[in-house]
Amino acid sequence: MQILPSLSTLAPTLRQRREKLAQRVDFPAILWSGQPSPRNFPKNLYPFRASSHFIYFAGIQLPDAAIALDRGQLHLFADEAPPSNTLWHGETPSRSEIAAAIGADAHYPKTELRSRLAEAATLPASDRLTQLEQADFLGRSVVPVADLPPEHRDRQLAEAIVSLRLIHDLSAIADLRQAAACTVEAHYAGMHATAHATTEAKVRAAMEGAILARNFTCAYNSIVTVRGEILHNESYANPLNSDDLILADVGAETPTGWAADVTRTWPVSGRFSATQRDLYELVRLAHDACIAKIAPGVEYREVHLLAAEIIAEGLVNLGILRGKPEDLVAMDAHALFFPHGVGHLLGLDVHDLEDLGDLAGYATGRVRSDRFGLGYLRLDRPLQPGMLVTVEPGFYQVPAILNDPERRSRYGEVVNWDRLSRFQDVRGIRIEDDVLITENGSEILTDALPVEAAAIEQIVRQ
Amino acid sequence: MQILPSLSTLAPTLRQRREKLAQRVDFPAILWSGQPSPRNFPKNLYPFRASSHFIYFAGIQLPDAAIALDRGQLHLFADEAPPSNTLWHGETPSRSEIAAAIGADAHYPKTELRSRLAEAATLPASDRLTQLEQADFLGRSVVPVADLPPEHRDRQLAEAIVSLRLIHDLSAIADLRQAAACTVEAHYAGMHATAHATTEAKVRAAMEGAILARNFTCAYNSIVTVRGEILHNESYANPLNSDDLILADVGAETPTGWAADVTRTWPVSGRFSATQRDLYELVRLAHDACIAKIAPGVEYREVHLLAAEIIAEGLVNLGILRGKPEDLVAMDAHALFFPHGVGHLLGLDVHDLEDLGDLAGYATGRVRSDRFGLGYLRLDRPLQPGMLVTVEPGFYQVPAILNDPERRSRYGEVVNWDRLSRFQDVRGIRIEDDVLITENGSEILTDALPVEAAAIEQIVRQ
């Protein structure tokens, strides 16, 4: 049963978005919503998620549809649900009802799309079936925009959409606040569940249960683990031990498709050990300082480097690193323990617009560094009001990094390995919030969730 | 982080399965595990589920792999995880470790597959990317086996695999029992959560939370709704009203891929109204009688028709239908209120082997009926020990059926529409259990979950 959005609130927003697009490109664009993906057999489908570009302009998650955007007009291409659909899926709105709800200027059966495609630009779909349809309908290959020359229309369309989606409008921000609020609830639920949980899976269940209870979905596969040093750990099989830290990176997505992305790290026992507390407070110091720095005009790369410097300085103070913090950062020694970027864009996608490679994340003319301490930075552009970014410094003891012979040789002198061995009860710590750049500075959308060690301990022990 | 199964328990089972396959086909078979499917952008993936055919013989859910089965031998084709994998996903077992765990006779990089494909049979993958790879590697199209002539090797392979997977071995049954036990917990959790739940979403969250807490997954998209007449309703947006029935069709899948499929229907208030109780008890009567009938040699179609007869007779007794039950079933009048089949095969897939069309569900030479009361029957073959089937009679008031002018004309005389209007608080009732055919009769794997109205009420009110 397709739920239609409220016409009065959504349609004007969608009109503004396509008018802004029309100011940027003077050729037609076609955006496909995508096809559901089968799980283990053709009729057992993963929950459908429409293409974010489609959602941005069409406002709904309608499978097997396309929209044509041209000079501020929106034409919807979709087939009516077959009559048998009513038996299995209930009454479905007609195409004309959908068109009215999203303020489409016209609507047609999907086959009509073929006659409108001449000269149209598009962006590659995520699912393979729609990719094949795109190539078939357009009579040309549709390739990742990063591989296209600047004058290609698909690339020009991508750049125009990036310039729109980078700066969230009020409707988007309202939805992003909802995603953030639901995500905060999920983290509270996870902390509260810890006292009686015996496995990672039980904490994850409490967190995702809080998201499902709101009828939201997970924006990405949750990380809920005592092995926080495995950065994208998606296993939940470990038991909880009383001296473990739980690292939980869990974010909700609204039914309209907007995401949040939050990480907290807490002690299973409800009390950080002295070593855990030292490193937790260091990560929190970096987190707070980075957020305090965020404002219009600030280079996000500088936010990343600030986190690196604070972590390097803190590790010197704790006796884990040796040397001057600025020298340590210059030689990427911080990345031994903080090997990822300090954050990324957030919006309809948890790594917003990452389907376009670094087109959104990196300002024109900039490319990824090959430095150990910068190569994983997903965002390198000056911040502007309306952007939403994550701030997520961390500290990890990754065996693959710390035991790597080349790195042990290169950094052997600056690491006090003996001292480090006293922090073995810290595998991974990350603290991540979602930060909206405002006219005057920034606003943390997820600040209803504390970061201070004492506050975290109190929630866990409640 | 890939978790390896225990060698001692799994490998002998897998060896038996491929030896049985070798008794049935004398040509090599290649089975692909499949590729993860992207959600909204290429790196944001749905949780991977390997092909059920691959799991059946390989025992693990390894993405982007293939196995060759030939005369009882298993060769594994998979690439080693790249070194960077360790940073993001932790230590991954090597191919040789995986090969040892599943008892493979040899293992090779995936590219080696190309040199082994001559004359090999296969089955179409679910995901489009793997389908393209199959066609590319084999140099021929791979089409649904239902479209193939009997002498085609792919079809012969499919029939051989059907004959194996139809009859569950002890290892499969052990896993199916786990899926059933977890599913029973989920239904208890849903009933217990109802008293404090205000929406369908909150009940669903409690049920799926119970599944996640065991580190299991959902075998299919849950149905948890007060609109039970929408047979495949996957929306959870409705509020709960005190006179509503909740229909919950929720099943767990073990980490090894084996499924359960259970439905219960309960009153939000904890007490059925008189009309709800009348129809609930009728569906339960059909459920119990069907299960009592199940035994080796029984035609499943007769189980379906028994449900139809009991429902028709009960509706006559309630004054909703008029006429002799056997005449009503002969004219498909029962299907006005029970429009689906009484059940289906269950195993690695919730509709087991449905990727092969009706090859597993329908005995050789049988095809689907076009009768209103039989066309949706997914299983029509004599039952054998080791088969697992669902039994799921129901009663629904589907507007698309009951308001259809053609049906109102055809069945106008046999329905007492006035009397029916007194049962408006019953939108949909279904009771579904998972029943294993044994040597002497049957065993309900999900019988830890009561079906009696009074017992259901008591759980909800606890």
Side-chain angles (χ1 to χ4, degrees):
Chain A
M1 199 167 49
Q2 181 79 29
I3 308 289
L4 284 181
S6 157
L7 170 61
S8 55
T9 56
L10 184 70
T13 293
L14 299 177
R15 182 170 301 279
Q16 281 178 0
R17 289 177 185 168
R18 58 185 188 259
E19 284 171 357
K20 283 187 184 169
L21 183 69
Q23 291 162 12
R24 286 163 169 80
V25 297
D26 59 1
F27 46 80
I30 314 268
L31 297 172
W32 272 260
S33 66
Q35 297 282 354
S37 295
R39 190 170 176 267
N40 46 335
F41 59 97
K43 289 202 176 165
N44 202 29
L45 301 167
Y46 288 109
F48 177 67
R49 172 53 153 75
S51 143
S52 293
H53 301 300
F54 180 90
I55 294 175
Y56 189 75
F57 291 103
I60 50 165
Q61 305 223 31
L62 187 66
D64 192 19
I67 50 174
L69 300 167
D70 193 7
R71 286 163 292 183
Q73 301 265 301
L74 184 158
H75 292 187
L76 173 68
F77 297 83
D79 294 328
E80 303 284 3
S84 65
N85 189 70
T86 310
L87 174 60
W88 300 99
H89 302 287
E91 292 290 337
T92 306
S94 67
R95 188 178 61 232
S96 73
E97 289 168 331
I98 296 169
I102 67 174
D105 299 287
H107 58 91
Y108 306 96
K110 186 133 174 270
T111 48
E112 293 281 310
L113 193 53
R114 280 191 187 273
S115 58
R116 321 253 167 169
L117 290 164
E119 312 296 312
T122 194
L123 299 176
S126 285
D127 71 282
R128 188 65 49 159
L129 195 58
T130 305
Q131 288 171 12
L132 295 173
E133 183 176 308
Q134 290 182 310
D136 175 35
F137 273 39
L138 290 163
R140 64 177 174 88
S141 57
V142 178
V143 302
V145 294
D147 302 339
L148 294 174
E151 65 276 14
H152 195 291
R153 283 191 167 183
D154 289 358
R155 174 140 183 152
Q156 289 177 3
L157 173 64
E159 287 174 356
I161 290 178
V162 162
S163 75
L164 285 179
R165 284 183 53 192
L166 268 179
I167 310 299
H168 295 300
D169 55 30
L170 292 178
S171 172
I173 291 170
D175 279 11
L176 289 162
R177 284 186 198 282
Q178 283 194 39
C182 178
T183 302
V184 167
E185 286 177 8
H187 282 261
Y188 270 101
M191 293 182 205
H192 285 149
T194 301
H196 300 288
T198 50
T199 60
E200 295 168 344
K202 289 185 198 299
V203 178
R204 175 207 180 196
M207 299 183 78
E208 295 194 5
I211 291 171
L212 294 177
R214 274 233 202 182
N215 210 18
F216 285 28
T217 58
C218 292
Y220 51 93
N221 295 328
S222 301
I223 300 167
V224 182
T225 186
V226 295
R227 300 284 307 277
E229 81 282 11
I230 302 173
L231 296 181
H232 285 179
N233 196 345
E234 293 178 11
S235 162
Y236 317 99
N238 290 311
L240 305 183
N241 293 311
S242 60
D243 58 349
D244 282 333
L245 295 176
I246 294 178
L247 184 156
D249 186 343
V250 176
E253 182 178 293
T254 66
T256 49
W258 296 85
D261 182 3
V262 168
T263 307
R264 287 294 184 274
T265 307
W266 64 84
V268 168
S269 67
R271 190 168 296 280
F272 290 102
S273 72
T275 42
Q276 289 169 344
R277 187 180 309 268
D278 282 344
L279 287 166
Y280 183 89
E281 288 293 2
L282 173 55
V283 174
R284 186 178 74 84
L285 192 68
H287 163 276
D288 291 359
C290 287
I291 292 177
K293 184 180 176 74
I294 283 182
V298 170
E299 288 284 352
Y300 190 80
R301 179 193 177 96
E302 295 301 321
V303 179
H304 175 75
L305 288 169
L306 176 61
E309 283 156 23
I310 290 172
I311 287 168
E313 182 174 5
L315 294 178
V316 169
N317 292 341
L318 289 171
I320 293 172
L321 286 179
R322 299 185 180 107
K324 286 189 185 167
E326 58 270 34
D327 297 343
L328 292 167
V329 171
M331 70 187 292
D332 294 322
H334 65 280
L336 291 168
F337 303 102
F338 170 44
H340 61 73
V342 80
H344 51 78
L345 295 167
L346 180 61
L348 283 163
D349 304 315
V350 61
H351 292 166
D352 207 29
L353 293 152
E354 199 183 87
D355 63 309
L356 304 175
D358 281 337
L359 201 65
Y362 275 60
T364 307
R366 299 184 188 177
V367 293
R368 292 241 188 176
S369 166
D370 57 4
R371 272 180 57 184
F372 174 39
L374 281 170
Y376 288 115
L377 184 58
R378 296 175 192 272
L379 178 57
D380 182 6
R381 58 161 68 237
L383 298 172
Q384 293 173 259
M387 284 185 184
L388 180 65
V389 300
T390 68
V391 173
E392 48 178 311
F395 172 93
Y396 316 88
Q397 296 199 54
V398 183
I401 294 175
L402 297 177
N403 298 334
D404 175 53
E406 197 180 317
R407 293 218 169 90
R408 271 195 100 98
S409 150
R410 167 137 202 237
Y411 298 109
E413 294 297 303
V414 300
V415 177
N416 183 336
W417 301 98
D418 272 357
R419 176 75 184 150
L420 178 64
S421 69
R422 294 167 64 177
F423 291 83
Q424 276 178 342
D425 65 350
V426 182
R427 291 168 168 274
I429 292 171
R430 180 163 66 252
I431 308 174
E432 176 181 27
D433 278 303
D434 302 344
V435 181
L436 180 70
I437 290 85
T438 60
E439 293 296 335
N440 304 315
S442 72
E443 178 191 347
I444 310 174
L445 298 191
T446 45
D447 68 351
L449 193 64
V451 289
E452 299 77 12
I456 292 284
E457 288 176 330
Q458 197 182 339
I459 299 169
V460 176
R461 290 205 302 263
Q462 266 168 0
Chain B
M1 200 168 47
Q2 180 80 28
I3 309 290
L4 283 181
S6 157
L7 171 60
S8 55
T9 57
L10 185 70
T13 293
L14 299 177
R15 182 170 303 278
Q16 281 178 359
R17 290 177 185 168
R18 57 186 188 260
E19 284 171 357
K20 284 187 185 171
L21 183 69
Q23 290 162 13
R24 286 164 171 80
V25 297
D26 59 1
F27 47 81
I30 314 269
L31 297 172
W32 273 259
S33 67
Q35 297 282 354
S37 296
R39 191 171 175 265
N40 46 334
F41 59 97
K43 290 202 175 163
N44 201 29
L45 300 167
Y46 288 108
F48 177 67
R49 170 54 153 74
S51 144
S52 294
H53 301 300
F54 180 91
I55 294 175
Y56 189 75
F57 291 103
I60 51 165
Q61 306 224 31
L62 187 66
D64 193 18
I67 51 172
L69 300 167
D70 193 7
R71 287 163 291 182
Q73 300 265 301
L74 185 157
H75 293 188
L76 173 68
F77 297 84
D79 294 328
E80 303 284 3
S84 64
N85 190 70
T86 310
L87 173 60
W88 299 99
H89 303 286
E91 292 290 339
T92 306
S94 67
R95 188 177 61 231
S96 74
E97 288 168 330
I98 296 169
I102 67 173
D105 300 287
H107 58 90
Y108 307 96
K110 186 130 174 271
T111 48
E112 294 281 310
L113 192 53
R114 280 189 187 273
S115 58
R116 320 252 168 169
L117 289 165
E119 312 298 309
T122 194
L123 298 177
S126 284
D127 72 282
R128 188 65 49 160
L129 196 57
T130 305
Q131 288 171 12
L132 295 173
E133 183 177 308
Q134 289 182 309
D136 175 35
F137 274 38
L138 290 163
R140 63 176 173 90
S141 57
V142 178
V143 303
V145 293
D147 302 340
L148 294 174
E151 67 275 14
H152 195 290
R153 282 192 168 182
D154 289 359
R155 174 138 183 156
Q156 289 177 5
L157 174 64
E159 286 174 358
I161 290 179
V162 163
S163 75
L164 286 179
R165 285 182 52 192
L166 268 178
I167 310 298
H168 296 300
D169 56 30
L170 292 177
S171 173
I173 291 170
D175 280 12
L176 289 162
R177 283 185 199 283
Q178 284 194 38
C182 178
T183 302
V184 167
E185 286 178 8
H187 282 261
Y188 270 102
M191 293 182 206
H192 285 149
T194 300
H196 300 289
T198 50
T199 59
E200 295 168 344
K202 290 185 199 299
V203 177
R204 175 205 181 197
M207 299 184 78
E208 295 194 5
I211 291 171
L212 295 177
R214 274 233 201 181
N215 209 18
F216 285 28
T217 57
C218 291
Y220 52 92
N221 295 328
S222 301
I223 299 167
V224 182
T225 186
V226 294
R227 300 282 308 275
E229 83 282 10
I230 301 173
L231 297 181
H232 285 179
N233 196 345
E234 292 178 9
S235 161
Y236 316 99
N238 290 310
L240 305 183
N241 293 309
S242 60
D243 57 349
D244 283 333
L245 294 177
I246 295 178
L247 186 156
D249 186 343
V250 175
E253 182 178 294
T254 66
T256 49
W258 295 86
D261 182 3
V262 169
T263 308
R264 286 294 184 273
T265 306
W266 63 83
V268 168
S269 65
R271 192 168 294 280
F272 289 101
S273 72
T275 43
Q276 289 168 344
R277 187 180 309 265
D278 283 343
L279 287 165
Y280 183 88
E281 287 294 1
L282 173 56
V283 174
R284 185 178 74 84
L285 192 68
H287 164 275
D288 291 359
C290 287
I291 293 177
K293 184 180 177 74
I294 284 181
V298 170
E299 288 284 351
Y300 190 79
R301 179 193 177 96
E302 296 300 320
V303 179
H304 175 73
L305 288 170
L306 176 60
E309 283 155 23
I310 291 172
I311 287 168
E313 182 176 3
L315 294 179
V316 169
N317 292 341
L318 289 171
I320 293 172
L321 286 180
R322 298 184 180 109
K324 286 188 186 171
E326 59 269 32
D327 297 342
L328 293 167
V329 171
M331 69 187 291
D332 294 323
H334 66 279
L336 291 168
F337 303 102
F338 170 43
H340 60 73
V342 80
H344 51 78
L345 295 167
L346 179 62
L348 283 162
D349 305 315
V350 61
H351 293 165
D352 207 29
L353 293 152
E354 198 183 87
D355 64 308
L356 304 176
D358 281 337
L359 201 66
Y362 275 60
T364 308
R366 298 184 189 177
V367 294
R368 292 241 188 175
S369 165
D370 56 5
R371 272 180 57 183
F372 174 40
L374 282 170
Y376 289 115
L377 184 58
R378 297 175 191 272
L379 179 56
D380 182 6
R381 60 161 67 237
L383 298 173
Q384 293 174 259
M387 284 185 183
L388 180 64
V389 300
T390 68
V391 172
E392 49 177 310
F395 171 92
Y396 315 88
Q397 296 200 54
V398 183
I401 294 175
L402 297 178
N403 299 333
D404 176 52
E406 197 181 317
R407 294 218 170 90
R408 272 195 100 97
S409 151
R410 167 137 201 237
Y411 296 109
E413 294 297 301
V414 299
V415 177
N416 183 336
W417 301 98
D418 272 357
R419 176 75 184 152
L420 179 64
S421 68
R422 295 166 64 175
F423 291 83
Q424 276 179 342
D425 67 350
V426 181
R427 291 168 169 274
I429 292 171
R430 181 164 63 252
I431 308 174
E432 176 181 27
D433 277 303
D434 301 344
V435 181
L436 180 69
I437 290 84
T438 61
E439 294 296 334
N440 304 314
S442 72
E443 179 191 348
I444 310 173
L445 298 191
T446 45
D447 68 350
L449 193 63
V451 288
E452 299 77 15
I456 293 285
E457 288 176 331
Q458 198 182 337
I459 299 169
V460 176
R461 289 204 302 263
Q462 264 169 2

